[in-house]
């Protein structure tokens, strides 16, 4: 059992997810270079809001960007996961269609819907059908590097999206912050990477504590809400593990009641409470009390504190930690972290229904 987390991983990681996670610092540097080579164009008119349309690994960068800047944005940034824009998307909105493959049917539907509403459009993609539509319609596409699972290209999208906000004049130049974050993530490889033994590797130790359990991720509303969502998605896709995320104070007004009746189910749950140095005192108190309550009801509770430092570096470090955590949980479960057979099978079934809008 102890050797499951020791490299080399070989056939247990046939498609190299461990190497992709280790390559995050380089991915940031390459994304900054692409942004300098192909900067975002100025929109034809100042947008009243930015609406990002995407799914899964192509949408989470927008959630993280909103969390990063939410207390500084002069205009709303909203993330839409679906086939149609809400009513407020019109001619004064800038829409960003984010699809790594360029084949996501929901995002293609949003592309058409935005055009019908007279909304301004940009795209973030490797190409595909979305790229072809943009070329036909004269819509600018910021390129993403091909050949990766979308979730493993997160930092390429995240850097590009922060660059878009800077191009709009909504935030300061993010490049210095990204360079600092990349340096911190490179240093953390010496703590979190596969070559670091479990006794000195906090991601491996936490994975050991979560293995075999349902995982509940609790954070405060604010910047870490998107981090909890990213961890949840990575546990789903990489570790093939059911997970759940929620935030205080909202969960203390409803979800906490679900813990009232302790039993076998609660004993099979592990709760990870995420703390951030910027958490307000009220949020920190709620997280602490919520974790204590879940522990009394039978759950295994683990607390994780974000390291101090600038917000961008903190969030990026937490994302890196969650990626490694999902990798190590996959290895403990004997699952190859890269394939997503369930999604592939579902798409094939969906394609046979004959009513797909793609």
């Amino acid at each position: 059992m102890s050797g499951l987390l020791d490299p080399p991983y070989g056939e247990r990681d046939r498609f190299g997810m461990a190497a992709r996670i280790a390559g995050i610092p380089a991915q940031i540097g390459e994304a900054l270079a692409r942004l300098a080579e192909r900067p975002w164009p100025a929109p034809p008119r100042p947008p009243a809001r930015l609406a990002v349309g995407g799914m899964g690994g192509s949408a989470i960068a927008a959630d993280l960007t909103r969390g990063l800047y939410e207390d500084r944005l002069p205009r709303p940034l909203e993330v839409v996961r679906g086939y149609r824009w809400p009513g407020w998307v019109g001619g004064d909105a800038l829409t960003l269609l984010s699809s790594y493959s360029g084949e996501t049917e929901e995002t293609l539907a949003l592309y058409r819907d935005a055009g019908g509403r007279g909304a301004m459009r940009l795209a973030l993609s490797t190409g595909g059908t979305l790229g072809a539509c943009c070329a036909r319609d004269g819509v600018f596409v910021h390129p993403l590097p091909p050949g990766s699972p979308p979730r493993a290209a997160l930092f390429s999208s995240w850097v590009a999206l922060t660059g878009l906000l800077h191009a709009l004049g909504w935030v300061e130049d993010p490049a210095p912050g990204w360079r600092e974050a990349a340096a911190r993530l490179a240093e953390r490889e010496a703590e979190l990477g596969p070559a670091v033994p479990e006794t000195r590797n906090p991601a491996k130790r936490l994975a050991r504590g979560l293995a075999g359990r349902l995982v509940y991720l609790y954070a405060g509303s604010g910047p870490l809400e998107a981090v909890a969502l990213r961890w949840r998605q990575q546990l789903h896709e990489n570790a093939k593990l059911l997970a759940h995320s929620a935030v205080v104070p909202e969960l203390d007004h409803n979800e906490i009641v679900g813990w009232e009746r302790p039993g076998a189910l609660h004993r099979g749950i592990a709760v990870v409470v995420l703390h951030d140095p910027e958490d307000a005192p009220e949020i920190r108190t709620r997280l602490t009390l919520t974790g204590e309550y879940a522990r009394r009801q039978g759950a295994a509770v683990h607390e994780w504190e974000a390291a101090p430092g600038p917000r961008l570096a903190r969030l990026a470090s937490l994302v890196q930690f969650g990626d490694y955590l999902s990798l190590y949980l996959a290895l403990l479960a004997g699952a190859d972290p890269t394939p997503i057979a369930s999604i592939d099978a579902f798409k094939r079934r969906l394609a046979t229904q004959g009513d797909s809008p793609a």
Side-chain angles (χ1 to χ4, degrees), residues 203-289:
K204 288 182 178 181
R205 292 199 303 271
L206 182 55
R208 183 78 64 182
L210 302 182
R213 297 175 180 266
L214 297 177
V215 178
Y216 278 43
L217 304 163
Y218 286 165
S221 58
L224 262 57
E225 182 172 358
V227 170
L229 174 59
R230 168 67 175 187
W231 281 32
R232 186 183 90 198
Q233 292 175 343
Q234 291 295 83
L235 294 182
H236 290 163
E237 293 194 67
N238 285 350
K240 283 68 180 173
L241 175 70
L242 284 174
H244 165 77
S245 63
V247 298
V248 301
E250 177 63 23
L251 77 85
D252 292 328
H253 291 269
N254 37 65
E255 182 166 323
I256 196 169
V257 182
W259 289 97
E260 275 189 12
R261 299 172 61 187
L265 175 62
H266 293 169
R267 290 191 293 274
I269 294 174
V271 176
V272 180
V273 181
L274 297 174
H275 296 283
D276 185 73
E278 285 191 80
D279 284 339
E282 301 90 340
I283 294 296
R284 183 166 290 272
T285 298
R286 284 181 174 273
L287 285 170
T288 299
L289 294 177

Side-chain angles (χ1 to χ4, degrees), residues 160-237:
L161 192 46
T162 61
L164 173 58
L165 294 189
H166 176 58
L168 293 174
W170 291 6
V171 302
E172 69 279 4
D173 183 3
W178 276 118
R179 286 191 284 270
E180 180 179 358
R184 176 184 287 200
L185 268 56
E187 292 172 356
R188 283 174 59 82
E189 277 294 311
E191 303 173 29
L192 306 176
V196 183
E198 187 173 337
T199 54
R200 295 190 288 108
N201 190 319
K204 288 182 178 181
R205 292 199 303 271
L206 182 55
R208 183 78 64 182
L210 302 182
R213 297 175 180 266
L214 297 177
V215 178
Y216 278 43
L217 304 163
Y218 286 165
S221 58
L224 262 57
E225 182 172 358
V227 170
L229 174 59
R230 168 67 175 187
W231 281 32
R232 186 183 90 198
Q233 292 175 343
Q234 291 295 83
L235 294 182
H236 290 163
E237 293 194 67

Side-chain angles (χ1 to χ4, degrees), residues 97 111 121-123 129-141:
L97 293 308
Y111 179 86
R121 293 182 291 189
L122 296 170
T129 300
L130 178 60
C133 290
C134 290
R136 178 195 66 203
D137 299 333
V139 173
F140 178 88
V141 180

Side-chain angles (χ1 to χ4, degrees), residues 5-130:
L5 298 179
D6 298 333
Y9 298 139
E11 287 299 305
R12 295 182 291 148
D13 182 20
R14 289 174 296 156
F15 302 97
M17 184 59 73
R20 294 185 187 281
I21 298 171
I24 288 174
Q27 186 181 144
I28 292 172
E30 292 162 3
L32 287 171
R34 265 193 312 277
L35 195 57
E37 294 167 4
R38 190 167 171 78
W40 293 101
R45 50 194 179 275
R49 55 186 56 84
L50 173 62
V52 181
M55 304 296 298
S58 295
I60 187 62
D63 297 290
L64 289 162
T65 300
R66 182 172 59 188
L68 175 63
Y69 294 121
E70 64 179 354
D71 55 352
R72 286 172 271 174
L73 287 176
R75 300 284 187 274
L77 189 168
E78 301 293 340
V79 186
V80 175
R81 293 171 166 87
Y83 292 95
R84 297 291 180 269
W85 297 107
W88 49 259
V89 173
D92 64 347
L94 175 62
T95 61
L96 174 66
L97 293 308
S98 178
S99 169
Y100 182 80
S101 67
E103 303 296 342
T104 310
E105 68 172 42
E106 297 92 338
T107 310
L108 292 172
L110 287 173
Y111 179 86
R112 294 189 293 269
D113 191 29
R117 294 166 181 253
M120 298 171 278
R121 293 182 291 189
L122 296 170
L124 187 60
S125 181
T126 60
T129 300
L130 178 60

